[in-house]
Amino acid sequence: MTISDSRPERGSAASVVRARNLLKRFGTKTVIDDLDLDMPRGGCYGLLGPNGAGKTTLLRMLLGHVLPDAGTLEVLGEPVPAAARSVRARIGIVPQDDNLDPDFTVMENLRIYAGYFPQPARRPLTPWLESLLEFVSLHERATDRIQSLSGGMRRRLVIARALVNDPELLILDEPTTGLDPQVRHLIWAKLRELIKKGSTILLTTHYMEEAERLCDRLAIVDQGRILAEDTPKTLIAQRVEPSVIELRIRGAGHRASADDVPAEPTGLPEAISRHARIERIDETWHCHTHHPQRVLEHLPRYPEIEYLHRPANLEDVFLNLTGRELRD
Amino acid sequence: MNPTSIPRRSIPRRWHIPRLHPAAAFAVWRRNALVWRRLFVSSLVFHFGEPLLYLIGIGYGLGRFIDGMEGMDGISYLSFFASGLVASSTMMSTSYEATYSAYTRMVPQKTYDGIIATPVEVDDIVAGEMLWCATKGCMAGASLLIVATLIGAFAGFEALLCIPILLLIGLAFSGLALAITATAPSYDYFSYYMTLFITPMFILCGVFYPISSMPAFVQGLIQVLPLTHAVALVRPIVTGAALENPILHIAILIAFAFVGFYVAAILIRRRFIL
Ligand SMILES: Nc1ncnc2c1ncn2[C@@H]1O[C@H](COP(=O)(O)OP(=O)(O)O)[C@@H](O)[C@H]1O
Ligand SMILES: [Mg+2]
C-alpha cells in the first residue's frame, strides 16, 4: 500500500454507486422506475436527462433523503438509506438550488459547514478552508456577506463547501444551470482539475456540451429509467447514424403569410429516404445517414435547398432516445 | 423485479425512535448561537424590553392596590408577578424562536437543506433547535430574573438557582412550537398558535393572580397546561418559599419536552425525508 491509496476503501469498492431495481413513486407517479446503475470509481459520470426525468430524486436517494419504495442501493460500498449518515460523511454535494447560509460570511459558511462533520477533513482547519477558497478564486471575498455575491460566485462557494470534508465522491446537481458562459467554463475547468487529481464526480445536466466535455461515462435518463449508458463516443457511434444533413428551403421561416407554404421539393424526400432516416422538425429535414455522399449527390438538382452537413452529436442521441415532445 | 422489491408503506418508516448524535445537535445549536451573537442587541430589546415594561407597569403600578390581599402566598404583588413573568417570558421567547425564527431557517432560508447534506440527521437538527430555543428562552427569563432581583423583587441572589429550571421550561415549550412550525404553511399560522395557546396560558396560568381564584372547572383545565407547572416551580424558588410537589412539576415539563421532541422530529422528517 502506498501513501496515495491510504484512503480506506470499504465494501465492494469497484462501484461507487450500485443500484438494483430502484423504485420510487410520488403518489401515483413513478419517478424512479426499476432503475439499475453501476457507477465506477474515478472520473466523471453524467446523468443526462430532460426536466422531470428523476435526476434530482435519484441523487437525493443516494443521500438517504428520498427513501426508495423498492430495490437496493449501495454508495461507496455502504447500504443506503441504512448507512446514509456515514455515506454523507464521505461525499460532497452541490445541490440544484444554492442553500448557502445567508447569516454568515463566505469563510464562515465553510467553517460552520465543516463543523457539521464528525471529524474535520484536514487539520489545521483554517489553511485548508483558505486553500478551498483559493481553488474557487474566492479568497479575496472571504469576509464578504453571501448577499453581496453574484450567482456564479455563490455557485463556486457551494462547490468549495462541498469539498470541506475532502469527499471521495462529489455530486453536483446541474452545476452550471442559469450561469453565464464565462462562469460555466470556469466551473468546467475546476471540475476537470478535480478529475485530474483523481476525484470521482457524479453530475446531472441537461446541457449536451457539458456532458460531452466533462463526462467519461453517461447515463441518459428519462421518466425514471436509464435509456442508454456508455461513453459519449460510444453512445454516438452506436445509437445514431454518424452523419446528419440538415436541409431547408431557402427563405423558409420568413414567409409573408401562413398560406404562402413553400412547395415541397418534388421527389427529394423519396430519393433521400432510401439512404437516410429523415425527421422533419418545422421547416427543416434532419437526415441521419451512414452514407452522406448518397444524400448530397441529389442536392445540386434542387437549388432552392440549403443544407448543413455535420457529424452526429450527443444531442442527436439524446433526442433520438427521449423524443422531441416538450417536457415541463 | 426481485422478490425484495415489494413496495412498503412509507409512512411508518418516519416514525422510528429518534437516534441522536450529541455533537451534531450541538453544531446546530452553535450555528444559531453564532447568528444570535451578531444580532443580540436588537433581540434583547425585543425579548427583554416588553417583559420589563410589564414588570414595572403592572408589578409596581397595580401592585400598590393589591398588596396585602389574601392568596398572594404572603409576598408582595411585585414579587408574585415578577416570578410569574420570569416563567412566562421564558415561554414567550422560546415560542417565538421556535416558530417564526425556526420557520425562517427551515423554509425561506433553506438552512436545514444545507445541513442535512452533511452527517447531521433531521433528528439532530430538531434536538439542536430545541436546545437553542430553550437557551434563548432561558436567557430572556434569566435577564428578567436579574433585573427583578436587583430591584428587590426577589429574596436574594438564590433566585438565580432557578436558571436550570428555565432551561427545562424552554425545552418543554420548544418541542411543541417546533411541531407547529413543521406543519406551518406560512408565517400567518403562528399567530393562531400564539393567540389560541400561548396568550391564554399567559393570562390563565397564575402569572397575574393565584390560580385558586378561578372557578373549579377552569382550574382543572389550567392544571394540564405547561406554564402552570413552570410558574409553580419558579415562584417558590425565587421568593424563597417551600416547593410543593416539585417532582410532579418537573416530570410534567420533562414529559412535554420529550413528547414535543418526538412529534416535532416525526413532522420535520416528513418535510425533509421523502
Ligand atoms: N416532493 C415531490 N412530490 C411529488 N412529486 C415530486 C416531488 N419531487 C419531484 N417530484 C416529481 O418527480 C419527477 C422527477 O423530478 P426530479 O427528480 O426533480 O427531476 P429532474 O431533476 O430530472 O428534473 C417530476 O415529475 C417531479 O414533478
Ligand atoms: Mg433536478
Side-chain angles (χ1 to χ4, degrees):
Chain A
M1 195 153 121
T2 66
I3 293 165
S4 63
D5 61 25
S6 64
R7 195 177 247 165
E9 298 211 346
R10 284 174 254 177
S12 56
S15 301
V16 288
V17 176
R18 192 185 128 91
R20 288 293 174 274
N21 308 103
L22 270 192
L23 185 79
K24 183 66 187 181
R25 294 199 184 93
F26 287 130
T28 56
K29 192 177 155 67
T30 303
V31 177
I32 300 294
D33 190 359
D34 200 22
L35 180 140
D36 290 354
L37 178 70
D38 283 287
M39 179 190 156
R41 192 176 283 271
C44 181
Y45 193 96
L47 296 171
L48 181 63
N51 275 330
K55 304 181 295 293
T56 300
T57 305
L58 182 58
L59 296 189
R60 294 185 64 191
M61 262 186 188
L62 304 184
L63 308 183
H65 294 157
V66 169
L67 305 175
D69 291 325
T72 56
L73 179 61
E74 269 180 25
V75 181
L76 297 166
E78 299 188 78
V80 172
R85 179 179 146 82
S86 143
V87 165
R88 289 199 303 270
R90 301 165 65 195
I91 62 187
I93 297 111
V94 176
Q96 193 168 347
D97 306 312
D98 289 346
N99 51 31
L100 291 163
D101 202 325
D103 288 320
F104 294 107
T105 66
V106 168
M107 186 52 137
E108 286 168 341
N109 258 274
L110 296 190
R111 197 179 291 284
I112 301 279
Y113 200 78
Y116 297 137
F117 289 83
Q119 288 112 23
R122 303 273 176 96
R123 278 196 183 282
L125 189 60
T126 305
W128 166 239
L129 299 181
E130 280 166 355
S131 73
L132 291 176
L133 281 187
E134 199 147 345
F135 175 67
V136 295
S137 316
L138 282 174
H139 45 292
E140 280 163 15
R141 310 292 299 244
T143 56
D144 288 8
R145 302 294 301 233
I146 297 304
Q147 289 83 348
S148 73
L149 301 185
S150 68
M153 289 178 187
R154 281 170 194 237
R155 194 29 72 112
R156 274 144 57 199
L157 181 57
V158 178
I159 291 175
R161 191 184 67 171
L163 296 171
V164 293
N165 58 329
D166 199 8
E168 291 168 59
L169 167 64
L170 176 63
I171 296 177
L172 304 103
D173 197 358
E174 302 195 11
T176 64
T177 297
L179 300 180
D180 298 339
Q182 288 86 344
V183 182
R184 178 173 301 162
H185 280 274
L186 176 66
I187 287 178
W188 288 344
K190 293 300 167 191
L191 295 181
R192 265 196 298 265
E193 211 172 304
L194 289 172
I195 295 165
K196 210 179 285 173
K197 284 191 208 147
S199 295
T200 306
I201 292 182
L202 171 61
L203 63 80
T204 73
T205 185
H206 51 235
Y207 291 123
M208 305 302 144
E209 197 188 352
E210 187 158 281
E212 221 158 346
R213 279 169 180 253
L214 283 179
C215 298
D216 302 300
R217 288 187 81 79
L218 276 177
I220 296 181
V221 191
D222 195 19
Q223 296 175 344
R225 269 182 293 232
I226 291 181
L227 304 179
E229 197 269 354
D230 219 311
T231 65
K233 263 202 182 116
T234 313
L235 285 172
I236 295 167
Q238 294 187 344
R239 296 283 167 166
V240 286
E241 299 80 353
S243 276
V244 182
I245 298 163
E246 293 178 20
L247 305 176
R248 58 193 255 136
I249 297 169
R250 247 176 255 282
H254 305 286
R255 308 193 308 263
S257 76
D259 307 324
D260 184 17
V261 180
E264 293 253 328
T266 359
L268 181 63
E270 294 75 15
I272 296 175
S273 65
R274 272 181 281 135
H275 311 296
R277 177 172 61 85
I278 303 177
E279 270 186 301
R280 180 162 179 181
I281 300 135
D282 281 340
E283 310 282 341
T284 311
W285 286 273
H286 288 236
C287 311
H288 302 271
T289 179
H290 290 278
H291 312 290
Q293 284 316 319
R294 294 194 195 153
V295 175
L296 292 171
E297 68 193 11
H298 288 280
L299 297 181
R301 275 181 283 138
Y302 300 90
E304 73 274 29
I305 298 273
E306 59 186 6
Y307 72 91
L308 171 73
H309 181 196
R310 61 170 176 83
N313 59 29
L314 207 48
E315 189 155 347
D316 299 310
V317 178
F318 183 80
L319 291 173
N320 192 22
L321 288 169
T322 63
R324 290 187 181 269
E325 73 274 21
L326 286 179
R327 306 296 170 83
D328 277 308
Chain B
M1 267 203 250
N2 63 45
T4 59
S5 28
I6 299 151
R8 285 167 286 164
R9 289 275 305 140
S10 57
I11 303 298
R13 286 195 277 176
R14 291 178 198 87
W15 287 22
H16 60 81
I17 298 299
R19 293 178 288 255
L20 278 185
H21 310 91
F26 177 73
V28 174
W29 179 90
R30 186 170 162 271
R31 181 231 163 253
N32 291 343
L34 289 172
V35 178
W36 173 82
R37 199 179 58 178
R38 184 162 294 159
L39 306 170
F40 87 102
V41 178
S42 61
S43 78
L44 219 58
V45 172
F46 181 62
H47 289 290
F48 183 52
E50 188 181 302
L52 196 63
L53 205 63
Y54 271 108
L55 181 65
I56 293 167
I58 296 183
Y60 275 122
L62 206 55
R64 293 173 57 107
F65 299 94
I66 298 173
D67 275 342
M69 285 178 80
E70 279 181 38
M72 281 300 167
D73 308 339
I75 54 177
S76 72
Y77 187 70
L78 180 66
S79 303
F80 181 92
F81 179 61
S83 56
L85 204 58
V86 166
S88 72
S89 53
T90 304
M91 167 186 80
M92 288 288 184
S93 180
T94 297
S95 302
Y96 273 104
E97 185 69 19
T99 51
Y100 293 93
S101 307
Y103 186 81
T104 301
R105 293 188 280 271
M106 183 162 74
V107 182
Q109 221 165 272
K110 294 189 188 159
T111 309
Y112 299 176
D113 293 80
I115 297 176
I116 58 169
T118 71
V120 178
E121 301 274 8
V122 173
D123 294 352
D124 302 322
I125 296 181
V126 178
E129 277 289 353
M130 267 183 75
L131 199 58
W132 167 248
C133 298
T135 306
K136 193 97 189 272
C138 185
M139 288 190 295
S143 15
L144 198 66
L145 193 67
I146 291 166
V147 173
T149 308
L150 288 176
I151 62 175
F154 297 150
F157 277 91
E158 308 94 80
L160 299 184
L161 291 175
C162 86
I163 285 179
I165 295 293
L166 299 185
L167 196 63
L168 175 61
I169 295 169
L171 289 171
F173 283 101
S174 56
L176 294 175
L178 282 175
I180 294 296
T181 304
T183 51
S186 73
Y187 286 103
D188 300 336
Y189 198 64
F190 300 130
S191 55
Y192 292 105
Y193 179 69
M194 292 295 169
T195 312
L196 299 177
F197 189 61
I198 297 296
T199 307
M201 276 195 279
F202 181 47
I203 292 169
L204 294 175
C205 292
V207 174
F208 293 91
Y209 48 79
I211 298 169
S212 56
S213 49
M214 289 307 235
F217 76 97
V218 183
Q219 282 189 41
L221 172 76
I222 290 172
Q223 285 305 330
V224 303
L225 297 173
L227 184 62
T228 307
H229 302 280
V231 173
L233 285 167
V234 171
R235 184 163 289 144
I237 295 175
V238 298
T239 55
L243 278 160
E244 276 177 48
N245 300 325
I247 304 295
L248 173 73
H249 300 308
I250 288 175
I252 289 176
L253 292 179
I254 289 177
F256 268 100
F258 273 98
V259 172
F261 172 56
Y262 184 49
V263 174
I266 291 173
L267 293 173
I268 297 180
R269 283 175 206 160
R270 288 206 325 185
R271 268 187 117 111
F272 290 94
I273 313 286
L274 300 175

